[in-house]
Amino acid sequence: MAKKRTIRTIPQERTPVAEQDPGERIRNFDEVSHGYGKEEALVEADRCLMCPEQPCVAGCPVGVNIPAFIQKVTEKDLRGAYDVITTTNLLPAVCGRVCPQETQCEGVCTVGDTLEPVAIGRLERFVGDMAIAAGWANVPYIEPSGFRIGIVGAGPAGMACAADMAKAGCEVTVYEAFHQSGGVLRYGIPDFRLPNEVIDAEMGNLEKLGVHFECNTLVGRLFTIEQMIDELGFHAVFIGTGAGYPNMLGVPGDSLNGVLSANELLTRCNLMHAREFPNYDTPMPPARHVAVVGAGNTAMDAMRVCLRLGAEEVSCIYRRSRAEAPARAEEVHHAEQEGIRFKWLTNPVAVLDDGEGGVSGIRCVRMELGEPDDSGRRRPVPVAGSEHDIEVDLVVVAIGTNANPIIGQTSKLALNKWGYIETDEDLVTSMPGIFAGGDIVTGAATVIEAMGAGRKAARNMRRYLGIRDADAPYRASGADTLFGIDLRERNFVRIQTST
Amino acid sequence: MDKIRTRRRPPAADGAPTEMDSDQRSKFEIVAREDFSDATYLLEIYHPLMAKAARPGQFVIVMAHEHGERIPLTIADYDRDEGTITLVIQAVGKSTREMQQICTVGHCLHGMVGPMGMPSEIGQGQKVLCVGGGLGVAPIYPQARGFKENGASVIAVLGFRTSSLIFWKEKFESCCDEVIVCTDDGSAGLEGRVTEGMRLALEKHPDIDECVAIGPPVMMQGAAEMTRPQGIKTMVSLNPVMIDGTGMCGGCRVKVGDQVKFACVDGPDFDGHQVDFGDLMARLSRFSDEEKAAMQRWSEHCRMAQQPDGLETPPTAPEK
């Protein structure tokens, strides 16, 4: 019998989400978006057409089965929805908050062809938050495979790889140079966008899988990558150390006190709690008028942190126009709401000295867009005679990062000409058993892309170790899976490879 | 001069750390402490892996407690047999004074990460001048020893403010061919700054072909100027404000020649004739207002805690 076709109507606009009032929130570090409640989530979930093409799944770097989890939400089976997401993504509450959904799943959503796309990110966050509130995380028995895996860097790439290898029965140790795990989630993304409790909860799930964290460990210097294999007894290693070597402006006045990288500002504020100075010992540079150079997510975070720390005026200086700004649309929107002054098509040419080693202003030129460059974006060119000064006492530089040099300095791994680790398509480096992924391979990208790389590396690592690849149960979704492990086929079997 | 040295001996009879012993020791435990003066103190911290990896010229970042700062400190020495890292610290600001109070033997640091930075290149110099000023005397020691082990003839110039602050003179005498002590007030050795000692050494040994200087920026600048006329290669060790120590924050950027370098991953050793010391000193004053405020607040809390009815505790997390 042919399936009966029904025509249904869906709300034209996505369900709005409650947010803290901009006037209120610039005085606190509480989360801006309150997220969906159950009712709102149900209304929004109903907007999904369950289209057979599922472009959203292909649009997700880790391939979350989005229609399946939304289906579970419409059935009010939130546990089921959580299980569907966590078969491929261990951190739904994090990703629901920080993924650039508009260029990924939501960007290709079928509903989005004619109406506003389904708010997939908000739904994912809703499910993730429900799981944290309910404490869903019972872990099945995993048969040990006998392999030991070392992960360098406890950021998104390393955690994704760690989770998958732990599920495959490996004994996983994650090394982190900072005193807390989380990588960019911890030091970079501020609390009002990603609260620490969310990171703790989702990282806690990793520990429940048996992943062991070693903080205060600088791999490369305390022991080398080679030593991890030769002396520490790891059968395979994944390097996910991130990009993390900030570009500075390279204009006169660059080294004045009062010029700092967004990395430094954010690390002081988030990881070191400088906003609670002097209860915490790390200080924050004083700032009344701030210029942030750049328009990526890091720049948005830096500007909004400055506002919350009491800056009177915060400007965003970006040499291209709003259309080219790399930040998530929602972040730009939130920043505008909070009163950030955007100076599009403006480029700094010098930082001005106040005569006491500090900053008195920033000299800029106006730009106009010329011919497209290699990246396909129109190249900004300076407008003659458009020099002007903006009065500021703090300049925050958020114009991207370079490859961190430590692993390159201390190992024989092949690097490309920019200093990033060279890998093949399977994320295999020039040394057997050593894999790498995330920003240290691709240059600065997003959290979810790093997680995608971590998972891909794990897949190839299992193949390298001769662990039967059990991606089939990963794809099989349903309420029976926990952390992607099908309860009926819960163990991975180690197959002896030819000697 | 009161030098109090305390040490927690490992339980093994022969003094060597045994497996059982390492199990009993907690992470980042302070196993020995020596007070050189009322402001300068030495800590030996148990970290066998780091003791094995450390090389002259490298540094660590310590956090005394959960609310603490990340403080970069040059490794003064390491003992691979005992599995310890030696740090010499001067109580100058709030954090280092607080550490002076809480870092007793048996106390565990909240964190210690390293060894960071590029190890010093122990060059092929035949006659080497090792110059240490104040606290810089400590980290120059492993370099002097390294040069000696390389077969060089080593002359040490050690500068202190006054005789009561002198430390490790014997240690240097055991590995150097000549040790010149200078004090600012002339209470011991040569009167004057290290540059006086350097002048003496350079006159006496015109064949000195390499120099290493560690100490306050103004001292390193002076040392570099002393050797510039003869063009003697002079390495200095920079210790600017930093947070992560892994190249991530860029707070420690310094001007060397016409380039901007990050002291944490490109250094901390640089050619002293190339370093822009004016820029370094300006950048070191970045947080001087905040440092003063924190120091004042800390002193007040200490004073109140000492009063019989002062119920208030220091503002930071108490010792765990």
Side-chain angles (χ1 to χ4, degrees), chain B residues 3-259:
Chain B
K3 279 189 185 170
I4 313 144
R5 189 176 171 88
T6 42
R7 167 178 285 278
R8 189 179 134 189
R9 297 305 309 179
D14 59 357
T18 61
E19 212 167 297
M20 226 183 93
D21 178 41
S22 62
D23 281 344
Q24 284 170 355
R25 294 212 174 181
S26 317
K27 246 182 162 178
F28 318 126
E29 183 182 330
I30 294 162
V31 293
R33 168 172 171 149
E34 188 173 338
D35 285 82
F36 292 143
S37 71
D38 56 2
T40 318
Y41 53 102
L42 170 150
L43 301 177
E44 275 177 37
I45 295 137
Y46 187 66
H47 197 317
L49 211 50
M50 202 189 293
K52 208 176 124 198
R55 298 279 180 282
Q58 291 187 302
F59 65 96
V60 295
I61 285 189
V62 299
M63 266 181 94
H65 53 75
E66 215 184 326
H67 288 208
E69 286 182 280
R70 292 170 66 89
I71 311 170
L73 296 165
T74 312
I75 297 173
D77 202 2
Y78 41 85
D79 187 328
R80 300 207 165 128
D81 299 327
E82 296 267 347
T84 57
I85 293 285
T86 304
L87 305 174
V88 178
I89 305 165
Q90 194 165 18
V92 282
K94 188 251 170 181
S95 294
T96 42
R97 266 174 216 251
E98 189 182 26
M99 279 178 72
Q100 192 182 23
Q101 261 187 23
I102 64 174
C103 289
T104 48
V105 171
H107 178 79
C108 296
L109 295 173
H110 182 65
M112 177 168 82
V113 55
M116 291 169 147
M118 305 284 267
S120 299
E121 251 181 74
I122 303 296
Q124 294 308 310
Q126 290 305 302
K127 203 166 226 183
V128 182
L129 188 59
C130 290
V131 187
L135 207 62
V137 167
I140 204 88
Y141 171 71
Q143 305 224 22
R145 191 177 54 188
F147 275 110
K148 191 71 205 164
E149 282 164 3
N150 255 14
S153 160
V154 181
I155 301 140
V157 176
L158 313 178
F160 300 93
R161 259 202 344 271
T162 180
S163 65
S164 63
L165 299 175
I166 295 174
F167 64 91
W168 280 15
K169 188 170 168 242
E170 314 75 39
K171 235 176 142 159
F172 277 89
E173 278 163 350
S174 71
C175 77
C176 297
D177 298 271
E178 198 177 330
V179 178
I180 304 169
V181 172
C182 315
T183 50
D184 292 1
D185 61 359
S187 52
L190 217 59
E191 179 174 346
R193 314 217 171 241
V194 287
T195 42
E196 293 307 313
M198 287 179 74
R199 181 167 300 138
L200 188 78
L202 289 166
E203 276 165 13
K204 199 167 148 196
H205 305 277
D207 54 339
I208 285 175
D209 52 5
E210 201 165 334
C211 175
V212 188
I214 308 181
V218 66
M219 173 241 130
M220 290 191 283
Q221 185 178 26
E225 288 314 313
M226 285 298 292
T227 56
R228 196 191 292 273
Q230 290 104 311
I232 300 168
K233 179 188 169 192
T234 301
M235 297 303 283
V236 295
S237 172
L238 307 187
N239 195 3
V241 175
M242 55 177 81
I243 304 177
D244 57 297
T246 61
M248 204 205 71
C249 79
C252 65
R253 59 191 192 277
V254 288
K255 279 191 199 159
V256 181
D258 52 2
Q259 285 181 306

Side-chain angles (χ1 to χ4, degrees), chain A residues 176-180 187 214-218 221-223 227 231-232 244-248 254-261 263-265 267-268 271-272 277-286 357 404-406 409, chain B residues 27-28 47 49-50 52-53 58 63 65-70 94-95 98 110-119 241 243-244 246-251 253 255 262 265-266 279 282-283 285-287 290 297 315-316:
Chain A
E176 166 61 42
F178 269 131
H179 51 282
Q180 285 186 330
Y187 74 74
E214 281 280 351
C215 291
N216 287 301
T217 307
L218 181 59
R221 292 284 173 208
L222 189 61
F223 45 80
Q227 280 178 303
E231 295 173 28
L232 298 177
Y245 190 92
N247 285 325
M248 297 311 287
D254 206 5
S255 64
L256 289 170
N257 294 341
V259 181
L260 78 169
S261 72
N263 269 3
E264 179 177 352
L265 180 97
T267 306
R268 282 179 182 274
L271 180 76
M272 303 310 295
F277 181 83
N279 255 331
Y280 282 78
D281 289 343
T282 304
M284 202 61 156
N404 190 291
I406 293 180
Q409 284 170 349
Chain B
K27 246 182 162 178
F28 318 126
H47 197 317
L49 211 50
M50 202 189 293
K52 208 176 124 198
Q58 291 187 302
M63 266 181 94
H65 53 75
E66 215 184 326
H67 288 208
E69 286 182 280
R70 292 170 66 89
K94 188 251 170 181
S95 294
E98 189 182 26
H110 182 65
M112 177 168 82
V113 55
M116 291 169 147
M118 305 284 267
V241 175
I243 304 177
D244 57 297
T246 61
M248 204 205 71
C249 79
R253 59 191 192 277
K255 279 191 199 159
F262 288 5
V265 289
D266 301 321
D279 173 70
R283 286 193 62 77
S285 68
R286 251 177 101 193
F287 291 102
E290 289 80 5
R297 192 165 179 273
T316 44

